[in-house]
Amino acid sequence: MKIERIEVRHVRLRLKAPFETSFGSKQDIDHVIVRVDADGVTGWGEGACQATPYYSPDTYQTTIHILKDFIVPAVLGQDLSWPGELPPAVRKIRGHPYAKAALDMALWDLEARRRGVTVASLLGGTRRRIESGVSLGLEAGGFDALRPAIDKALAAGYKRIKLKIKPGQDEALAKGFRQQYPKTALMLDANSAYTLADLPLFERLDAYDLMMIEQPLAHDDIIDHATLQKAVRTPICLDESIHSAADGRKALDLGACRIINIKVGRVGGLSEAKRLHDVCAERGAPVWCGGQHEFGIGRAANVAIASLPGFTLPGDVSGSDRYYVEDIAEPPFYVQDGTLPVPTGPGLGVEVVPERLERFTVSKLEFRA
């Protein structure tokens, strides 16, 4: 496929309600949308970066900069034979996974559409539906304030609940949840808010029968996580620490975790996400697909990657109606019996709605070969 045209957009959508983590609260979500045209076919990708450099060094501004000044010039006019085949000029860029992910995703969508197949099948996916969990942000009122959202999620059939935690809002949440929902699968997500000095807390959390604790320690650490994992029964899951298949291999071999959260944007695209999945599968480590408030394009990519056989745990790929009043792509994804369908249409299986895309676009760049 010869890359004839690339479009880079900054798109902003508003959440139905603010979402709070240990990083802070947010209501507007700024992502980067990439369109790639080749051989008369269009592919779409999404860089699910954030407006702030707290979860990742990347922001939507840096993502647009790297695409405009480095990735697009390296790819435009090139003839690529496979979605994962990127020119050396792109491969040698250090970091900036969200810029790479947006292009990589668009190329997978484009190639699958050219062949008339789904991205899921092109990746090697085997599932027709994927299990879905839900992630709930912090609330000022603690566990009691979260109960209506938990009840709503369980009534909708979500397979597990993930609660965000931070110092001062942790054990009481786990205790309150387990008292009210003794059989419901629960995991906690710390977003790097703790240190090894908090080991007594994590030892106490063993009592609450957790599926896992996600990224409790520093965002760039695997050494201290290995110490923590040896000291507790609850499986540690790594998120921010894992940027590639190589990182996953090192963390698992070191014993820093037993589970890995695979986020397509964080690891640089579907190509690297598949490689990380394969590394974990070789070591018998379960994986699940994390979410970053993706719009419809990125959500479809998450569903596609989660159709691979190693994704044995419910992910954060919630229904489309959970976060946004209006999305930029159709059809929406709806949870039924705790699962989401893997699209059967060509490519990612969703179509961008031009009027909505224009309405929610903050800025646009266009490049032609």
Side-chain angles (χ1 to χ4, degrees), residues 5 10 33 100 114 129 165 172 203 240 242 302 308 319:
R5 179 179 177 274
H10 168 200
I33 301 299
K100 295 173 183 174
R114 287 178 69 235
R129 301 188 70 90
I165 61 170
E203 290 174 333
E240 290 99 314
I242 308 299
N302 287 349
L308 270 64

Side-chain angles (χ1 to χ4, degrees), residues 9-14 29 31-34 44-47 294-299 320 324-332 350-361:
R9 292 177 183 252
H10 168 200
V11 176
R12 177 177 295 152
L13 296 184
R14 171 150 285 214
I29 304 296
H31 286 173
V32 177
I33 301 299
V34 169
W44 293 91
E46 179 177 340
E294 285 86 355
F295 304 163
I297 299 167
R299 192 173 303 274
S320 302
Y324 301 109
V325 175
E326 209 171 7
D327 206 335
I328 60 171
E330 292 282 350
V350 296
E351 301 296 334
V352 172
V353 181
E355 180 275 328
R356 294 183 199 168
L357 180 65
E358 293 297 334
R359 180 152 44 96
F360 296 119
T361 292

Side-chain angles (χ1 to χ4, degrees), residues 51-296:
T52 59
Y54 303 147
Y55 171 83
S56 162
D58 292 20
T59 65
Y60 66 84
Q61 293 101 326
T62 63
T63 297
I64 292 170
H65 158 54
I66 294 300
L67 282 162
K68 175 175 73 75
D69 294 327
F70 295 96
I71 293 179
V72 170
V75 171
L76 200 61
Q78 295 291 313
D79 195 352
L80 306 180
S81 60
W82 186 248
E85 178 198 344
L86 292 177
V90 175
R91 293 200 302 271
K92 74 180 182 182
I93 296 172
R94 297 189 182 187
H96 302 287
Y98 293 93
K100 295 173 183 174
L103 176 69
D104 177 87
M105 191 184 302
L107 293 175
W108 279 95
D109 186 35
L110 196 155
E111 180 61 20
R113 288 175 185 273
R114 287 178 69 235
R115 297 178 180 223
V117 300
T118 66
V119 169
S121 64
L122 206 57
L123 287 166
T126 57
R127 290 189 175 86
R128 300 177 70 176
R129 301 188 70 90
I130 66 163
E131 290 193 333
S132 179
V134 71
S135 176
L136 300 177
L138 291 160
E139 294 283 353
F143 175 73
D144 288 339
L146 284 167
R147 282 197 64 183
I150 295 170
D151 289 337
K152 183 178 180 180
L154 294 177
Y158 284 102
K159 295 291 189 180
R160 64 104 175 106
I161 303 293
K162 177 167 85 171
L163 298 182
K164 296 287 186 176
I165 61 170
K166 67 179 181 180
Q169 290 182 264
D170 38 48
E171 186 176 4
L173 290 175
K175 182 177 181 180
F177 185 98
R178 193 48 76 212
Q179 287 176 340
Q180 294 297 322
Y181 309 96
K183 301 297 184 181
T184 301
L186 171 66
M187 61 177 287
L188 303 179
D189 184 5
N191 288 120
S192 307
Y194 298 85
T195 71
L196 278 180
D198 297 300
L199 180 57
L201 166 68
F202 293 110
E203 290 174 333
R204 294 196 302 273
L205 288 174
D206 271 342
Y208 299 106
D209 188 27
L210 304 174
M211 289 181 68
M212 69 191 87
I213 300 174
E214 184 180 359
Q215 197 70 37
L217 309 181
H219 70 95
D220 55 355
D221 169 77
I222 58 174
I223 302 298
D224 285 353
H225 278 102
T227 300
L228 176 61
Q229 183 64 93
K230 289 182 178 69
V232 298
R233 295 191 308 274
T234 302
I236 299 300
C237 169
L238 288 183
D239 174 3
E240 290 99 314
S241 296
I242 308 299
H243 301 279
S244 66
D247 287 347
R249 172 183 59 80
K250 294 170 187 175
L252 290 170
D253 289 355
L254 189 64
C257 62
R258 297 177 194 157
I259 300 168
I260 287 180
N261 166 1
I262 298 180
K263 288 178 178 170
V264 174
R266 191 193 72 235
V267 302
L270 290 166
S271 301
E272 191 64 21
K274 184 181 186 313
R275 285 189 281 269
L276 177 55
H277 160 275
D278 294 348
V279 163
C280 293
E282 290 169 2
R283 286 160 175 74
V287 299
W288 56 280
C289 184
Q292 296 191 275
H293 288 112
E294 285 86 355
F295 304 163

